[in-house]
Amino acid sequence: MVDSKARVQPVPATPLRLVVNELIENALAALSGTRNAPILISATVKRRPFLLRSYLVLEVADKGAGMPPAIVAKATTPFFSTRAGNHTGLGLTACSQMVSALKGKLIIDSAHGVGTTVEVRVPVLSTAAIFWQSFLRHRRKKVHTWRG
């Protein structure tokens, strides 16, 4: 589900694509062995009252096995993984760092036996902020004319 305001927000495409892909891969891994289990993906824009800032909120949710609090606390730690094999344990670490570089937050909400929802919250400019930035930028420019 993507709300209409989220569709038109300019965001850095590459890092957010990498983050969403990793979160979907993790949800698929959590649902392995489960038939027809959906992964819910949503994007909305939430506005902060009285501030010139809004947030793009992306959520990826699954109804997999979920994680106990001790695992959630370590989930973004480099090289930590609950999967065996050739998995490096850098996926959520990279996601967390990319979201932080965008001045955002990655929030993991999980309950063992219930499922996991990962929320990515990235600041985007509101319409009012875009207007004021444009206005202030225009005011700062000095027009020089040549009189010869």
Side-chain angles (χ1 to χ4, degrees):
M1 174 188 89
V2 178
D3 79 15
S4 60
K5 290 180 184 175
R7 289 181 193 275
V8 296
Q9 290 300 320
V11 294
T14 301
L16 284 181
R17 180 181 53 82
L18 292 170
V19 168
V20 171
N21 284 346
E22 179 64 27
L23 297 179
I24 291 170
E25 288 294 324
N26 285 351
L28 288 169
L31 295 170
S32 66
T34 307
R35 296 185 61 157
N36 300 324
I39 297 172
L40 304 172
I41 303 167
S42 67
T44 58
V45 173
K46 295 192 178 175
R47 191 168 164 258
R48 300 278 313 261
F50 307 110
L51 296 177
L52 296 178
R53 180 160 281 176
S54 296
Y55 290 88
L56 175 64
V57 179
L58 303 169
E59 288 184 343
V60 177
D62 67 68
K63 299 286 185 196
M67 299 179 281
I71 299 296
V72 172
K74 297 180 195 175
T76 59
T77 302
F79 306 109
F80 176 78
S81 177
T82 58
R83 294 187 237 169
N86 63 0
H87 188 72
T88 61
L90 292 174
L92 283 176
T93 302
C95 289
S96 179
Q97 289 177 354
M98 281 187 271
V99 170
S100 289
L102 297 172
K103 297 184 178 20
K105 291 183 180 181
L106 185 134
I107 302 159
I108 302 170
D109 182 25
S110 188
H112 191 64
V114 177
T116 301
T117 299
V118 180
E119 179 181 298
V120 175
R121 199 175 273 251
V122 180
V124 292
L125 292 176
S126 67
T127 307
I130 292 169
F131 169 79
W132 282 111
Q133 283 186 349
S134 174
F135 176 76
L136 293 173
R137 201 173 310 125
H138 185 276
R139 266 187 61 197
R140 280 189 235 147
K141 291 181 183 176
K142 294 182 181 179
V143 177
H144 297 285
T145 57
W146 176 260
R147 296 183 187 185

